[in-house]
Amino acid sequence: MLILAATPIGNLGDASRRLIEALETVPVVAAEDTRTTQRLLQALGVSHRPRLIALHDHNEKARAGELVELAREQDVLLLSDAGMPTVSDPGYGVVAAAAAAGVAVTAIPGPSAVLTALAVSGLPTDRFTFEGFVPRKSGERRAVFAALAAEPRTMVFFDAPTRVGATLADMSAVFGAPRAAAVCRELTKLHEEVARGSLAELVAWAHDGVRGELVIVVAGAAPRAVAFDDAVAQVADLVASGTRLKEAAGEVATLTGHSSRELYQAALAARAAGGRG
């Protein structure tokens, strides 16, 4: 079968007994970075040396079929460098191919940067969404954040330390400076830190630079405070000032959380009714 195994995200003590047992017995390991896996085997005191196959973003599509065929006959352990494979890491393509081919897929659960950051953030955990790595360019980031501005669930993002200050500034501009958030740095490691506060406060916190692996957790949007009819009226006002109807509906949707399509149709119907009057 194909076995997905979570590896430590920082502290080697988080390696599960099941992970160590699997590393001591499986004949084949598909790894995001075989050098990292070799170091993990050594650090965990595993003397067994399985066949290592590199599986990363650039070769996963080509390697998926090969790994599925191997998993028909023997156990294949799939690892990412840290955390659970397939979560912003290679593995999804292999799992999808295995499922389609009727090959059994199971998992050895364990550390997860997403869930760890969510748990320690101090923000609501009952409903959340994982958005992966934020885009590198500011314009693309702001477009992504604008699409999430009305998201009511807590949001979890990955980001690089070299641009987290710029990312927080874009979040503050789009989500609003008072929005609560947390930046979780070096989780489970010696210098673990969780910075909590408003986005404005976190922009100031990151001003002098941030180091280490990062996860950003942002509170969801507050419940809608604008009635639908009032939102439609806002669309009409924007159109009257020269904004195109589609753009006006999208802008008001971002601000109020109402559906852009529903606002567009309602404003269009109101305009048609006014024309008939």
Side-chain angles (χ1 to χ4, degrees):
M1 65 174 63
L2 178 67
I3 306 169
L4 309 179
T7 54
I9 60 175
N11 192 319
L12 283 174
D14 293 333
S16 70
R17 180 177 296 180
R18 287 185 62 201
L19 170 64
I20 295 172
E21 290 174 350
L23 290 171
E24 288 175 336
T25 58
V26 293
V28 179
V29 172
E32 182 178 5
D33 187 325
T34 56
R35 294 166 299 181
T36 299
T37 299
Q38 288 171 339
R39 289 194 293 270
L40 180 66
L41 291 169
Q42 183 177 8
L44 295 177
V46 176
S47 58
H48 174 62
R49 290 296 179 263
R51 175 188 173 190
L52 297 179
I53 298 176
L55 180 74
H56 45 72
D57 291 337
H58 302 295
N59 73 354
E60 182 172 2
K61 187 174 181 180
R63 276 273 165 87
E66 173 191 353
L67 291 171
V68 169
E69 291 307 309
L70 284 173
R72 288 186 187 277
E73 306 297 332
Q74 57 193 321
D75 288 344
V76 174
L77 189 68
L78 199 159
L79 306 177
S80 61
D81 288 347
M84 179 60 75
T86 77
V87 182
S88 277
D89 277 324
Y92 163 72
V94 181
V95 173
V103 173
V105 180
T106 190
I108 298 175
S112 164
V114 176
L115 295 180
T116 302
L118 179 68
V120 303
S121 68
L123 297 172
T125 60
D126 54 338
R127 299 177 67 227
F128 70 95
T129 173
F130 174 55
E131 299 297 330
F133 279 95
V134 300
R136 294 174 179 270
K137 297 181 179 179
S138 179
E140 295 175 2
R141 282 197 300 268
R142 290 195 176 212
V144 168
F145 299 154
L148 294 169
E151 172 58 62
R153 297 170 293 182
T154 300
M155 296 170 283
V156 183
F157 302 86
F158 285 166
D159 198 19
T162 53
R163 55 177 180 268
V164 67
T167 294
L168 290 168
D170 287 339
M171 286 179 167
S172 180
V174 177
F175 293 145
R179 182 83 70 97
V183 179
C184 306
R185 188 179 73 84
E186 295 289 90
L187 288 169
T188 77
K189 299 179 184 179
L190 179 62
H191 299 292
E192 176 177 301
E193 179 183 11
V194 181
R196 305 179 182 89
S198 68
L199 284 170
E201 291 169 336
L202 291 174
V203 169
W205 169 81
H207 180 267
D208 294 328
V210 181
R211 295 182 179 181
E213 299 291 329
L214 300 173
V215 185
I216 303 173
V217 187
V218 182
R224 296 173 183 172
V226 178
F228 183 74
D229 288 347
D230 292 336
V232 173
Q234 290 181 19
V235 174
D237 289 342
L238 286 173
V239 171
S241 68
T243 305
R244 295 178 58 186
L245 177 55
K246 184 176 181 180
E247 294 172 355
E251 183 175 337
V252 174
T254 298
L255 294 173
T256 65
H258 291 294
S259 163
S260 175
R261 184 183 178 199
E262 292 176 358
L263 288 171
Y264 178 90
Q265 292 176 336
L268 194 64
R271 187 164 67 178
R276 287 195 298 270

